[in-house]
C-alpha cells in the first residue's frame, strides 16, 4: 500500500469525485487549516451535532447493539459550537467522500484541537465507501472547547493498494451513503451473536 500525495489526491478528486467539495490548496490563514496537504486532506466540520445526553436513570450501560437507547440532544451551530466539559458528541464532515475500489483512508485528529484537550476519533474509510464522515468528539477538560464550523477538524490519509475481493460498497455496508449529518451507531439485523 502506498500513501497518496497531494497530486494523487487532487487527481482522484478531479477525475473520480473522491472528495466534494474539494479545497485545491491548503487554507490556513485566520482559520483552523483545511484542504489538501502534502500527504493528506484536512476536512472541515459541519454545523449539526448530536451530543450524548447522560441520564443515569435511563441508561446504566451504553450498548452499541442497542443504540436506540442512547439519548442525544440535537444541536445546530452557526459559526462555532462550544462542546461542554467532559462531554461527547457526534459531528460530520462538510466534505462528501467517494472512495475508489483500491483506496482506503485512516482519519486522525488535528494537532490544533488535540493541544486544546479535544480527542477526535474517526473510523477508517474503507475502499468503496461513500458519504459524509461521522466524526466522534470528546472534550477531556473541565471547561468547554470551542469547535469552529466550516474549518478543519481532522485529516484523512489515503492509501492505495490492489482492489479487494469485496469492497464496502459490494457488501452494502451499514454506513454507506451517509448524509450531511451525524449518524449514530447501527447494527444490521441478524448481526447479534447472543
Amino acid at each position: 500500500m502506498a500513501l497518496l500525495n497531494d497530486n494523487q489526491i487532487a487527481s482522484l478528486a478531479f477525475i473520480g469525485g473522491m472528495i466534494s467539495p474539494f479545497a485545491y490548496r491548503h487554507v490556513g490563514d485566520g482559520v483552523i487549516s483545511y484542504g489538501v496537504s502534502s500527504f493528506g486532506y484536512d476536512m472541515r466540520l459541519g454545523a449539526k451535532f448530536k451530543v450524548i445526553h447522560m441520564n443515569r436513570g435511563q441508561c446504566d450501560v451504553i450498548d452499541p447493539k442497542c443504540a436506540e437507547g442512547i439519548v442525544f440532544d440535537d444541536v445546530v451551530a452557526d459559526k462555532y459550537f462550544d462542546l461542554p466539559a467532559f462531554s461527547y458528541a457526534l459531528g460530520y464532515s462538510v466534505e462528501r467522500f467517494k472512495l475508489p475500489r483500491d483506496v482506503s483512508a485512516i482519519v486522525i485528529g488535528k494537532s490544533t484541537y488535540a493541544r486544546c484537550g479535544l480527542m477526535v476519533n474517526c473510523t477508517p474509510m474503507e475502499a468503496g465507501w461513500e458519504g459524509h464522515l461521522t466524526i466522534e468528539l470528546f472534550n477531556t477538560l473541565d471547561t468547554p472547547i470551542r469547535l469552529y464550523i466550516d474549518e478543519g477538524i481532522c485529516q484523512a490519509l489515503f492509501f492505495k493498494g490492489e482492489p479487494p475481493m469485496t469492497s464496502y460498497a459490494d457488501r452494502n455496508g451499514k454506513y454507506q451513503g451517509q448524509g450531511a449529518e451525524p449518524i449514530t451507531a447501527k447494527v444490521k439485523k441478524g448481526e447479534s451473536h447472543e
Side-chain angles (χ1 to χ4, degrees):
M1 304 244 347
L3 177 63
L4 301 184
N5 66 27
D6 51 2
N7 286 325
Q8 294 166 310
I9 294 166
S11 177
L12 287 170
F14 286 132
I15 297 168
M18 184 173 78
I19 305 170
S20 178
F22 181 73
Y24 304 106
R25 63 183 180 83
H26 199 246
V27 178
D29 292 337
V31 299
I32 297 174
S33 61
Y34 64 89
V36 69
S37 62
S38 302
F39 285 93
Y41 188 87
D42 291 4
M43 65 189 78
R44 294 171 289 164
L45 182 63
K48 298 176 191 170
F49 299 88
K50 289 190 175 293
V51 182
I52 198 161
H53 180 72
M54 293 304 294
N55 182 338
R56 289 282 180 204
Q58 291 179 332
C59 189
D60 291 332
V61 65
I62 302 294
D63 184 349
K65 291 186 180 182
C66 185
E68 298 83 28
I70 304 171
V71 178
F72 288 93
D73 294 325
D74 291 323
V75 176
V76 179
D78 184 24
K79 296 182 186 292
Y80 59 83
F81 168 61
D82 290 338
L83 182 61
F86 301 121
S87 66
Y88 177 83
L90 299 176
Y92 69 97
S93 64
V94 168
E95 293 82 1
R96 187 175 195 287
F97 295 89
K98 184 178 182 182
L99 272 72
R101 188 173 185 81
D102 59 351
V103 174
S104 286
I106 295 172
V107 181
I108 55 176
K110 290 184 64 63
S111 61
T112 300
Y113 278 121
R115 294 167 197 221
C116 293
L118 182 71
M119 292 181 67
V120 176
N121 180 52
C122 296
T123 55
M125 293 189 281
E126 294 188 44
W129 176 80
E130 64 179 270
H132 292 265
L133 184 67
T134 294
I135 301 167
E136 298 86 14
L137 306 158
F138 177 63
N139 180 351
T140 64
L141 304 177
D142 63 356
T143 186
I145 297 175
R146 182 158 289 173
L147 308 176
Y148 288 92
I149 307 306
D150 210 32
E151 295 188 22
I153 188 70
C154 52
Q155 183 180 84
L157 303 173
F158 297 94
F159 296 87
K160 186 171 186 168
E162 293 297 318
M165 287 187 343
T166 307
S167 74
Y168 196 83
D170 294 339
R171 69 175 182 271
N172 194 25
K174 61 190 171 191
Y175 298 110
Q176 185 74 312
Q178 294 180 163
E181 64 182 334
I183 304 299
T184 58
K186 300 178 188 179
V187 174
K188 278 186 166 182
K189 299 290 185 216
E191 284 188 23
S192 177
H193 298 285
E194 292 181 23

